[in-house]
Amino acid sequence: VFKKFDISQIFDELCNFKVAGDWYFYTYLLQKGKISYCSESLNMHRRHKHSVTVSKENNERHYREIVYMQELIMSKAKSNIDLNLIHQYRQKVKKELKEIK
């Protein structure tokens, strides 16, 4: 939930995303105002061959957008980042996307 605000600064780049546009938007939003944190998992995301976000045609793009967002967030983060966890997640995503083909 967030207040309405101007996204004209990021609109063109946001439109370039096919899969991770929501994460790009959230990253921008987090830099703009007051936020609250809830540690409770409020949704579940899974990838499968009938998923709207995953198809044979865009698996590579899906992976590239995830990596791009991870790199973008790491460049802006001011805390220690466990690169090993990031690498493990990337391997997991690659495996999932290959299994969908």
Side-chain angles (χ1 to χ4, degrees):
V1 178
F2 48 88
K3 292 180 181 180
K4 182 179 176 181
F5 65 96
D6 182 17
I7 61 166
S8 61
Q9 286 181 282
I10 63 164
F11 185 77
D12 289 341
E13 187 163 3
L14 183 61
C15 290
N16 290 324
F17 288 94
K18 183 166 184 143
V19 178
D22 54 344
W23 283 99
Y24 185 78
F25 173 74
Y26 301 149
T27 302
Y28 178 78
L29 181 65
L30 288 170
Q31 298 174 73
K32 293 296 174 190
K34 297 177 184 177
I35 62 169
S36 296
Y37 174 73
C38 173
S39 63
E40 180 183 351
S41 180
L42 301 175
N43 71 342
M44 184 183 113
H45 177 77
R46 62 188 174 94
R47 295 176 187 88
H48 55 83
K49 65 183 176 182
H50 301 296
S51 172
V52 174
T53 60
V54 177
S55 71
K56 292 177 184 176
E57 296 81 34
N58 72 1
N59 283 354
E60 183 60 33
R61 182 176 184 163
H62 187 142
Y63 180 77
R64 283 193 322 263
E65 287 188 17
I66 288 171
V67 170
Y68 176 85
M69 288 309 306
Q70 287 177 331
E71 296 293 331
L72 178 67
I73 291 167
M74 284 190 295
S75 74
K76 296 178 182 302
K78 295 185 175 158
S79 63
N80 293 333
I81 297 170
D82 188 338
L83 297 177
N84 200 27
L85 285 176
I86 291 170
H87 177 71
Q88 288 174 15
Y89 180 74
R90 288 179 185 181
Q91 294 305 98
K92 177 183 173 238
V93 169
K94 256 187 187 178
K95 183 178 184 242
E96 288 175 355
L97 292 174
K98 284 181 182 176
E99 289 173 357
I100 291 170
K101 287 185 177 184

